[in-house]
C-alpha cells in the first residue's frame, strides 16, 4: 500500500518531520477572534501544555486550501495524517466539494462572558450508574462520538448532543453492532454539528456520496446513501472535516506512541475519542471529559450500554490506550480539563 524505499518512511516512523511541520505551522488559522474568557484553558500556566498547545492551529479542511502544493505536501504522510498511497483524483475530486465553514464550530452563548463550556462524552463503562446526566447537559455544548446511545441512558450520560465526531466506519457499523442496546441512528439534535475524521480512502468515498446527496459509488460503502445516516440534519453549513495537519499535530505533540517504532507503525493513530477531546480543547474554554479511560478501568465494562454484563476492554493494535489514559490523567492533574473519575 505504501512505498517502502523512500526516505519519507523513515521520517514518518521517527516522527522527524521538522521541515514539513514548519509548513503546517505557516498555515493560516481558521479560528476567529472572539471575546477572551478569563477561565479559559488557553490561559493555563502549565509549561508542558503551553509548549505543545497551538491555540489557533487549523482544524478543518476545505476546497479553498487544497491545491497541488498542498497535495504534494500531504502526500508525504500516511493516512489519516496525509494522502500517501492515494490517487490524486480519488481524493481531490471529493475534497474540492468541501466548502469552507461559514462559522466557527462553537460560539459563546449569550451571558457567558465569552466562555464556552463543553462536556465530551465517551462510551466507557465508568458512566454506568454515574448519574452524571444532568451535569453533562448543564454545559453549553456536548460532544459525543461513535456509538453515542442516549435513549435509556439519560440519567448517566445526558440527552443533549451538540457536536458528533465520527468516521464513516463508526457511523455505519454502530447501527449493526449496537442495535441490541437500542441504537437506531447517530445523534441528530436540532442544530447539531457533525465532524468527520478522514481516516482513510473509505471516508473520501463516503464524503463523495454525502456531498453529492447520492449513493456511494465505490469502496466498502458502495450503494449506501450517506445522508440517510444523519436523519435529515446534514447540510453543508453544519458539517466539518478535520484537517490532516490537525490529526498529525494531536499525534505528534500530545499522543506520540512508542508503537510508531514498531513494524505496524503505519496503522497507529489516536482514537476517535482522542480526536474529539482535542477538538473540544481547541474550540472550548472549559472542558470536562466523561466516559474516558481511567486508571481503574478494569472495574468497569467496556461500554456504558453494557449495564447487565461485565466485559473487558478490547485493546486494538492501532491505538495506544494506556498512553491516552495517562494523557487524560495528566490534563486533569494540571487542570487543563476535568476528567470524570469514580471515587467509590
Amino acid at each position: 500500500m505504501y512505498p517502502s524505499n523512500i526516505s519519507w518512511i523513515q521520517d514518518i516512523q521517527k516522527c522527524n518531520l521538522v521541515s514539513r511541520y514548519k509548513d503546517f505551522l505557516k498555515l493560516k488559522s481558521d479560528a476567529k477572534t472572539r471575546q477572551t474568557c478569563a477561565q479559559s484553558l488557553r490561559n493555563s500556566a502549565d509549561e508542558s501544555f503551553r509548549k505543545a498547545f497551538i491555540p489557533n492551529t487549523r482544524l478543518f479542511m476545505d476546497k479553498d486550501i487544497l491545491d497541488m502544493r498542498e497535495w504534494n505536501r500531504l502526500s508525504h504522510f500516511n493516512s489519516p495524517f496525509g494522502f500517501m498511497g492515494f490517487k490524486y483524483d480519488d481524493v481531490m475530486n471529493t475534497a474540492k466539494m468541501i466548502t469552507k465553514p461559514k462559522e466557527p464550530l462553537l460560539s459563546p452563548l449569550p451571558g457567558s462572558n465569552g466562555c464556552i463550556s463543553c462536556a465530551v462524552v465517551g462510551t466507557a463503562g465508568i458512566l454506568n450508574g454515574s448519574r452524571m446526566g444532568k451535569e453533562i447537559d448543564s454545559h453549553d455544548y456536548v460532544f459525543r462520538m461513535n456509538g453515542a446511545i442516549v435513549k435509556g441512558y439519560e440519567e448517566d450520560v445526558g440527552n443533549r448532543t451538540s457536536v458528533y465526531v465520527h468516521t464513516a466506519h463508526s457511523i455505519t457499523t454502530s447501527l449493526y453492532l449496537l442495535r441490541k442496546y437500542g441504537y437506531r441512528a447517530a445523534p441528530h439534535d436540532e442544530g447539531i454539528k457533525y465532524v468527520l475524521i478522514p481516516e482513510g480512502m473509505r471516508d473520501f468515498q463516503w464524503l463523495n456520496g454525502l456531498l453529492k446527496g447520492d449513493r456511494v459509488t465505490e469502496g466498502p460503502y458502495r450503494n449506501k446513501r450517506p445522508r440517510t445516516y444523519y436523519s435529515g440534519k446534514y447540510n453543508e453549513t453544519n458539517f466539518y472535516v478535520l484537517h490532516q495537519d490537525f490529526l498529525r499535530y494531536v499525534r505528534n505533540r500530545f499522543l506520540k506512541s512508542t508503537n510508531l517504532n514498531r513494524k505496524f507503525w503505519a496503522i497507529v493513530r489516536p482514537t476517535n475519542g482522542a480526536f474529539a477531546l482535542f477538538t473540544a480543547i481547541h474550540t472550548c474554554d472549559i472542558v470536562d471529559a466523561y466516559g474516558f479511560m481511567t486508571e481503574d478501568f478494569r472495574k468497569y465494562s467496556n461500554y456504558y450500554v453494557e449495564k447487565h454484563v461485565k466485559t473487558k476492554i478490547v485493546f486494538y493494535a492501532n491505538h495506544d490506550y494506556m498512553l491516552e489514559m495517562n494523557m487524560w490523567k495528566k490534563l486533569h492533574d494540571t487542570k487543563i480539563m476535568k476528567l470524570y473519575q469514580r471515587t467509590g
Side-chain angles (χ1 to χ4, degrees):
M1 181 177 180
Y2 304 115
S4 58
N5 59 347
I6 54 178
S7 62
W8 301 116
I9 296 297
Q10 294 178 342
D11 283 345
I12 298 169
Q13 279 185 290
K14 299 177 182 178
C15 290
N16 291 330
L17 307 172
V18 177
S19 62
R20 291 163 193 84
Y21 201 66
K22 287 180 178 178
D23 282 343
F24 153 49
L25 295 178
K26 292 177 182 177
L27 285 174
K28 290 183 179 180
S29 165
D30 54 7
K32 295 184 179 180
T33 303
R34 60 180 175 84
Q35 184 178 349
T36 302
C37 168
Q39 295 81 38
S40 179
L41 59 85
R42 296 175 178 229
N43 299 329
S44 172
D46 183 75
E47 185 176 350
S48 62
F49 179 74
R50 291 174 67 89
K51 183 177 180 180
F53 184 65
I54 303 176
N56 294 325
T57 186
R58 183 178 293 284
L59 292 174
F60 308 114
M61 64 186 301
D62 65 76
K63 61 183 180 182
D64 294 337
I65 60 173
L66 287 170
D67 53 19
M68 182 59 75
R69 180 178 180 275
E70 275 295 273
W71 166 263
N72 289 335
R73 184 178 69 85
L74 291 171
S75 293
H76 297 310
F77 304 103
N78 66 307
S79 179
F81 312 105
F83 301 140
M84 181 181 284
F86 295 167
K87 294 180 180 179
Y88 178 87
D89 287 343
D90 290 344
V91 172
M92 297 300 280
N93 287 345
T94 297
K96 286 298 183 181
M97 293 189 289
I98 302 174
T99 58
K100 184 177 182 179
K102 295 181 174 61
E103 58 184 46
L105 183 67
L106 305 174
S107 297
L109 299 180
S112 65
N113 294 320
C115 296
I116 299 175
S117 70
C118 298
V120 185
V121 186
T123 58
I126 191 174
L127 286 177
N128 275 331
S130 67
R131 298 190 177 184
M132 286 289 107
K134 288 184 178 180
E135 181 176 309
I136 288 170
D137 285 341
S138 70
H139 293 75
D140 296 337
Y141 300 98
V142 179
F143 284 67
R144 299 185 195 272
M145 72 292 301
N146 301 340
I149 304 177
V150 168
K151 189 175 181 180
Y153 305 90
E154 294 92 341
E155 185 178 38
D156 292 336
V157 306
N159 61 15
R160 296 176 51 226
T161 305
S162 314
V163 180
Y164 177 64
V165 182
H166 64 294
T167 61
H169 176 72
S170 68
I171 201 172
T172 54
T173 58
S174 293
L175 189 60
Y176 303 104
L177 297 179
L178 300 174
R179 180 174 291 275
K180 63 182 178 180
Y181 297 109
Y183 186 93
R184 295 294 178 268
H188 47 275
D189 301 43
E190 194 65 36
I192 192 171
K193 304 288 184 70
Y194 293 108
V195 176
L196 181 76
I197 304 168
E199 67 172 347
M201 181 51 62
R202 61 189 178 186
D203 293 273
F204 287 98
Q205 294 163 344
W206 177 265
L207 266 174
N208 191 274
L210 180 69
L211 297 173
K212 290 180 177 178
D214 205 348
R215 295 179 184 271
V216 178
T217 58
E218 58 184 327
Y221 310 119
R222 187 173 180 268
N223 288 327
K224 291 188 182 295
R225 291 187 178 274
R227 292 197 181 185
T228 63
Y229 286 80
Y230 301 90
S231 304
K233 298 300 180 182
Y234 164 81
N235 63 67
E236 66 179 24
T237 64
N238 71 348
F239 197 87
Y240 302 73
V241 181
L242 288 177
H243 197 290
Q244 286 76 15
D245 284 339
F246 178 71
L247 304 182
R248 198 167 62 257
Y249 155 80
V250 170
R251 180 196 67 179
N252 289 354
R253 292 207 160 205
F254 294 96
L255 295 170
K256 190 174 179 181
S257 174
T258 56
N259 289 337
L260 290 167
N261 296 317
R262 303 182 69 176
K263 290 182 179 180
F264 57 90
W265 65 269
I267 67 170
V268 175
R269 71 166 182 85
T271 61
N272 290 358
F275 286 133
L277 189 48
F278 276 103
T279 300
I281 287 173
H282 282 75
T283 54
C284 310
D285 296 297
I286 300 164
V287 175
D288 297 330
Y290 305 82
F292 281 77
M293 191 171 168
T294 54
E295 293 173 325
D296 58 348
F297 68 89
R298 291 181 180 84
K299 292 182 180 179
Y300 315 110
S301 294
N302 201 3
Y303 301 112
Y304 65 74
V305 294
E306 298 169 319
K307 282 187 173 182
H308 307 296
V309 60
K310 175 66 171 65
T311 58
K312 293 182 179 179
I313 292 181
V314 179
F315 292 93
Y316 295 100
N318 60 327
H319 303 311
D320 192 334
Y321 297 91
M322 302 308 288
L323 172 67
E324 292 191 8
M325 181 189 73
N326 292 331
M327 176 55 68
W328 312 149
K329 182 65 162 54
K330 180 179 179 180
L331 292 174
H332 173 84
D333 290 344
T334 54
K335 303 185 185 306
I336 306 302
M337 70 173 199
K338 185 180 75 175
L339 174 68
Y340 172 69
Q341 303 172 80
R342 298 288 277 264
T343 56

